[in-house]
Amino acid sequence: MKIAIYPGSFDPITNGHLDILERAITLFDKVVITIARNSSKNPLFTEEERLQLIREAVKKHKQVEVDSFEGLLVDYARKKNATAVVRGLRAISDFEYEMQMALMNRKLNPDVQTVFLMPNERYTYLNSSIVREISRLGGDVNDFVPKVVKQALDKKFKVK
Ligand code: PNS
């Protein structure tokens, strides 16, 4: 059984994340999408809210597990018997940070491979912080996030 971890902040999950996840499940028997707890970030959505939104967004995929973790990603991957970490690569601007993480993770645990997947071109300019900003300022994010996330954003920013 080939298991991959798809880690991130997912604050909130976007259609770009879902695009990557859907590609990953064609390659692995099971994908664990997991929120990394990070005390230095101040997320818009609580961990529980983010988990709920992900659960709702991925519920049709039976081979996907939704989870969160604390500590090193490579330790978590080992605990989950995963052999791969999936990350999305949208543009060259992502590359430096992603390569640094991938190489550091490989140094920490050579048994876990990082697999980069490219989303559909329509998501290359999309990320969670832009979605939060557009939504906060009253813009339309319908094309960028699942319906359940749109509703949660509206609630956060008190749109009627
Ligand atoms: O969605 P993000 O914020 O780009 O995801 C970053 C994430 C969660 C993948 C990264 O911060 C991470 O792996 N955190 C867990 C702690 C860890 O293992 N740090 C060392 C990475 S080299």
Side-chain angles (χ1 to χ4, degrees):
M1 176 124 166
K2 287 277 174 210
I3 303 172
I5 306 290
Y6 181 27
S9 303
F10 304 111
D11 185 33
I13 190 164
T14 68
N15 290 343
H17 293 127
L18 291 172
D19 178 290
I20 296 294
L21 182 74
E22 279 161 19
R23 289 173 202 280
I25 59 184
T26 67
L27 300 173
F28 297 95
D29 301 307
K30 179 174 156 186
V31 178
V32 183
I33 178 168
T34 187
I35 296 172
R37 284 183 209 133
N38 182 345
S39 52
S40 65
K41 280 195 180 176
N42 185 18
L44 174 65
F45 290 100
T46 65
E47 181 186 327
E48 200 38 58
E49 287 170 331
R50 283 179 282 158
L51 283 169
Q52 256 324 106
L53 293 174
I54 297 173
R55 280 192 202 111
E56 191 60 35
V58 308
K59 66 181 179 199
K60 67 174 177 205
H61 298 300
K62 297 294 165 247
Q63 64 277 60
V64 174
E65 180 186 326
V66 182
D67 196 16
S68 59
F69 74 101
E70 194 150 357
L72 282 178
L73 176 61
V74 287
D75 291 341
Y76 176 78
R78 194 179 279 125
K79 202 180 94 190
K80 288 285 182 184
N81 291 319
T83 51
V85 166
V86 168
R87 292 286 288 172
L89 211 49
R90 291 160 299 192
I92 288 286
S93 50
D94 285 340
F95 185 76
E96 211 166 325
Y97 170 62
E98 293 297 336
M99 179 158 158
Q100 187 182 23
M101 271 206 303
L103 294 182
M104 186 53 83
N105 284 333
R106 191 162 70 189
K107 172 82 181 146
L108 293 169
N109 183 350
D111 299 331
V112 175
Q113 306 302 327
T114 299
V115 176
F116 292 112
L117 297 174
M118 269 155 263
N120 188 298
E121 312 79 80
R122 83 177 88 111
Y123 300 129
T124 48
Y125 55 90
L126 176 59
N127 67 31
S128 297
S129 71
I130 285 181
V131 164
R132 293 195 302 270
E133 169 99 351
I134 295 172
S135 186
R136 186 171 60 82
L137 298 172
D140 180 4
V141 294
N142 273 311
D143 286 349
F144 308 134
V145 293
K147 199 173 261 168
V148 64
V149 172
K150 162 79 171 110
Q151 287 163 352
L153 283 163
D154 286 349
K155 211 164 149 200
K156 280 274 173 207
F157 297 121
K158 303 265 183 294
V159 175
K160 291 205 185 89

